[in-house]
């Protein structure tokens, strides 16, 4: 096999091997439980993990490289995505609707954000939830947040998260956010 043809073949085989290794982690996310963490072979960071988009225009590609077609364009800076695989400078990500594709790692930020109740956006009137003054269901509402709003996650204790939405800061139940795992502690 020639040198030119061998390099893509080796890259392809590495990609297939990575897909097999990390498929269990992807399956764990569908249960909503804190997935068993592995370490990315490129970054050394945990897989899977949540990150956010740096830009309001991020191409989601069908494979790890610019030679792969763009299958979607994310248009929301700060939107949380889940990194499920790594290949060189590329990260395979999953969004709140379950769509997956590849994004250049420079388009991702380690800043933690959460999407409020994204699974409820299909209803005619988007539901709302309270941003609370304390980590109790009976605490006063600081603001009312609609499903689909992006919250900046400051910390989570496994049940409640301290978030900021615009000028408002307060507590929201962790189970109402997509962008943090159930039971995950964020400092």
């Amino acid at each position: 096999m020639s040198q030119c043809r061998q390099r893509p073949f080796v890259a392809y085989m590495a990609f297939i091997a990575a897909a097999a290794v990390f498929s269990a982690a992807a399956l764990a996310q569908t249960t909503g439980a804190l997935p068993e963490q592995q370490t990315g072979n490129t970054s050394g960071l945990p897989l899977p993990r949540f990150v956010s988009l740096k830009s309001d225009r991020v191409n989601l590609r069908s494979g790890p490289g610019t030679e792969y077609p763009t299958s979607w364009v994310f248009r929301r800076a700060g939107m949380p995505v889940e990194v499920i695989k790594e290949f060189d400078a590329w990260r395979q990500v999953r969004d709140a609707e379950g769509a997956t594709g590849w994004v250049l790692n420079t388009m991702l930020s380690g800043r933690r954000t959460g999407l409020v109740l994204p699974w409820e956006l299909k209803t005619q009137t988007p539901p709302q939830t309270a941003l609370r003054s304390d980590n109790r269901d009976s605490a006063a509402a600081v603001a009312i947040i609609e499903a689909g709003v992006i919250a900046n996650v400051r910390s989570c204790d496994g049940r409640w998260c301290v978030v900021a939405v615009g000028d408002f800061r307060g507590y929201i139940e962790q189970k109402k956010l997509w962008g943090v795992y159930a039971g995950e502690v964020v400092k």
Side-chain angles (χ1 to χ4, degrees):
M1 195 178 290
S2 74
Q3 181 83 14
C4 292
R5 292 181 69 199
Q6 188 175 9
R7 186 172 298 161
F9 177 75
V10 171
Y12 177 72
M13 292 309 294
F15 171 72
I16 294 301
V21 169
F22 298 115
S23 62
L27 179 61
Q29 172 54 23
T30 61
T31 66
L34 188 62
E36 182 179 325
Q37 298 232 308
Q38 305 205 356
T39 302
N41 58 353
T42 303
S43 69
L45 296 172
L47 286 177
R49 68 180 179 276
F50 281 105
V51 296
S52 58
L53 301 178
K54 276 187 183 176
S55 173
D56 59 1
R57 182 167 166 57
V58 177
N59 292 333
L60 185 71
R61 296 187 176 273
S62 62
T66 55
E67 67 273 14
Y68 291 93
T70 299
S71 53
W72 186 258
V73 178
F74 289 121
R75 298 215 175 251
R76 224 172 149 188
M79 187 173 81
V81 292
E82 184 182 30
V83 176
I84 55 177
K85 293 181 188 154
E86 297 181 351
F87 181 77
D88 288 335
W90 294 87
R91 305 296 178 259
Q92 187 178 35
V93 299
R94 176 178 23 235
D95 70 8
E97 294 179 4
T100 61
W102 292 86
V103 172
L104 192 59
N105 69 343
T106 58
M107 301 304 291
L108 301 174
S109 168
R111 181 173 66 100
R112 295 295 296 269
T113 61
L115 204 52
V116 177
L117 300 169
W119 47 87
E120 305 227 356
L121 284 173
K122 304 288 186 214
T123 60
Q124 291 213 358
T125 305
Q128 300 175 335
T129 191
L131 186 62
R132 306 252 175 224
S133 61
D134 198 2
N135 61 352
R136 294 176 288 119
D137 288 326
S138 60
V142 175
I144 302 299
I145 310 296
E146 266 192 16
V149 167
I150 295 174
N152 291 306
V153 176
R154 303 293 186 219
S155 65
C156 298
D157 64 10
R159 183 160 180 263
W160 290 88
C161 292
V162 176
V163 300
V165 177
D167 292 335
F168 298 99
R169 186 180 178 125
Y171 292 81
I172 190 168
E173 285 182 279
Q174 197 159 330
K175 66 183 180 184
K176 294 181 179 180
L177 293 175
W178 191 89
V180 291
Y181 297 109
E184 179 184 15
V185 174
V186 177
K187 298 191 185 257

